[in-house]
Amino acid sequence: MISQILHKIGALGLIGSIKLAQKNLAQWLIKIHPEVRRRQKKEKAFDIENSVDTSSNVIVDDLDVEKEISKHCVHYEPTRVWLFEEIFANISVDYKEYTMIDVGSGKGRVLILASKFPFKQIIGVEISKILHKIAIKNIEIHSNKSKISKKIILICKNIDQYDIPNDNVLLFLYNPFDAFFMKNILNNLKKHHETTGKKIILIYVNPVHSETIEIYNFLKQVKCNQRYIIYSNK
């Protein structure tokens, strides 16, 4: 142990070694924090409790998407259960009046989580056939196990080719694509806003392209932090 410490000091210098030790201590303290451990436990339990496969990440190259489209896409990573719960704790609407749309629905985790709420219907739009097939299986297993009769619709197509239903809509986006596709969906939402007058709620998780949304003044921020932003047109 002492030899390892001396080796680190020799490689990084005394100040560098102290900074590294502080960083490692901070990370360790975060890991043992009760709330962090609770969240990690919930993550590990989700797939087991629901007999589904939603946890493992999938890189863009394995999404079987055309090259011209894939350059605008982001790898698959599941929405954390605790984060979904935190977001929906900050939404106060009559869910029966809304159609929920998960844009880039991946393996269907958010659809399963959303099924606990009395949405008019729940729709997952996913461009990857591989993820779409996994989602079909997951939703079927979950529906049979939970006996939920809620209508969940899975659609495999580019979001540009999807027509937003003539309803009040709640859209969920976990940073599924870059600003190029973000502009396309915002143009569709603006048209929906202007032609139908329906209510729109947009939940943007990991909002790295939020500046693109800010250009469209029909959507206003309701809740904002580093992890997600909630927008509404009302």
Side-chain angles (χ1 to χ4, degrees), residues 181-212:
F181 276 154
M182 182 67 79
K183 289 178 182 178
N184 292 341
I185 190 171
L186 287 167
N187 285 331
N188 289 338
L189 276 177
K190 185 177 181 181
K191 182 179 178 181
H192 181 77
H193 165 76
E194 294 172 345
T195 58
T196 70
K198 299 290 186 178
K199 297 175 184 177
I200 298 171
I201 297 173
L202 174 62
I203 300 170
Y204 186 20
V205 181
N206 188 19
V208 295
H209 300 294
S210 59
E211 72 283 351
T212 303

Side-chain angles (χ1 to χ4, degrees), residues 98-101 119-123 150-151 153 165 167:
Y98 283 82
T99 288
M100 190 272 192
I101 306 171
F119 285 106
K120 183 177 180 181
Q121 62 179 343
I122 298 173
I123 300 171
K150 186 177 298 298
K151 188 176 183 182
I153 301 171
D167 291 329

Side-chain angles (χ1 to χ4, degrees), residues 146-158:
S146 64
K147 305 301 180 183
I148 291 176
S149 59
K150 186 177 298 298
K151 188 176 183 182
I152 298 178
I153 301 171
L154 296 171
I155 298 172
C156 187
K157 62 169 56 175
N158 191 331

Side-chain angles (χ1 to χ4, degrees), residues 132-168:
H132 177 68
K133 290 178 181 178
I134 295 173
I136 290 175
K137 183 178 180 181
N138 285 335
I139 297 302
E140 182 180 359
I141 291 171
H142 179 260
S143 296
N144 291 336
K145 185 176 181 179
S146 64
K147 305 301 180 183
I148 291 176
S149 59
K150 186 177 298 298
K151 188 176 183 182
I152 298 178
I153 301 171
L154 296 171
I155 298 172
C156 187
K157 62 169 56 175
N158 191 331
I159 190 62
D160 289 351
Q161 302 168 346
Y162 175 69
D163 294 325
I164 299 171
N166 187 22
D167 291 329
N168 297 324

Side-chain angles (χ1 to χ4, degrees), residues 11-228:
L12 301 174
L14 181 59
I15 295 176
S17 298
I18 292 173
K19 288 182 178 179
L20 178 61
Q22 290 174 333
K23 180 181 178 181
N24 290 339
L25 177 61
Q27 291 176 342
W28 179 77
L29 289 173
I30 290 173
K31 287 181 180 179
I32 66 170
H33 191 281
E35 178 60 20
V36 173
R37 296 183 69 177
R38 184 188 71 81
R39 291 174 177 178
Q40 291 174 339
K41 184 177 180 180
K42 187 166 279 192
E43 279 298 304
K44 292 178 180 179
F46 181 83
D47 278 10
I48 296 173
E49 291 176 355
N50 293 284
S51 302
V52 295
D53 166 28
T54 66
S55 296
S56 55
N57 296 357
V58 181
I59 62 174
V60 173
D61 289 344
D62 290 340
L63 294 180
D64 72 327
V65 178
E66 294 178 13
K67 189 174 182 180
E68 281 304 304
I69 295 177
S70 67
K71 66 183 182 182
H72 299 293
C73 297
V74 177
H75 71 280
Y76 168 76
E77 182 178 332
T79 298
R80 304 305 177 203
V81 176
W82 65 266
L83 182 56
F84 179 93
E85 293 174 346
E86 177 185 311
I87 291 170
F88 274 73
N90 284 290
I91 298 175
S92 180
V93 299
D94 186 352
Y95 293 105
K96 299 189 199 72
E97 295 182 357
Y98 283 82
T99 288
M100 190 272 192
I101 306 171
D102 183 11
V103 180
S105 50
K107 298 180 180 181
R109 174 181 284 194
V110 165
L111 304 177
I112 293 172
L113 290 167
S115 69
K116 298 176 182 178
F117 297 88
F119 285 106
K120 183 177 180 181
Q121 62 179 343
I122 298 173
I123 300 171
V125 183
E126 173 58 53
I127 193 172
S128 168
K129 293 179 181 178
I130 289 177
L131 296 181
H132 177 68
K133 290 178 181 178
I134 295 173
I136 290 175
K137 183 178 180 181
N138 285 335
I139 297 302
E140 182 180 359
I141 291 171
H142 179 260
S143 296
N144 291 336
K145 185 176 181 179
S146 64
K147 305 301 180 183
I148 291 176
S149 59
K150 186 177 298 298
K151 188 176 183 182
I152 298 178
I153 301 171
L154 296 171
I155 298 172
C156 187
K157 62 169 56 175
N158 191 331
I159 190 62
D160 289 351
Q161 302 168 346
Y162 175 69
D163 294 325
I164 299 171
N166 187 22
D167 291 329
N168 297 324
V169 291
L170 185 152
L171 287 88
F172 189 97
L173 290 81
Y174 182 6
N175 187 34
F177 36 61
D178 63 12
F180 177 81
F181 276 154
M182 182 67 79
K183 289 178 182 178
N184 292 341
I185 190 171
L186 287 167
N187 285 331
N188 289 338
L189 276 177
K190 185 177 181 181
K191 182 179 178 181
H192 181 77
H193 165 76
E194 294 172 345
T195 58
T196 70
K198 299 290 186 178
K199 297 175 184 177
I200 298 171
I201 297 173
L202 174 62
I203 300 170
Y204 186 20
V205 181
N206 188 19
V208 295
H209 300 294
S210 59
E211 72 283 351
T212 303
I213 300 178
E214 310 301 334
I215 298 172
Y216 293 78
N217 57 16
F218 73 98
L219 289 173
K220 305 299 181 183
Q221 287 189 11
V222 176
K223 171 81 175 179
C224 178
N225 59 40
Q226 290 183 334
R227 294 189 295 271
Y228 61 90

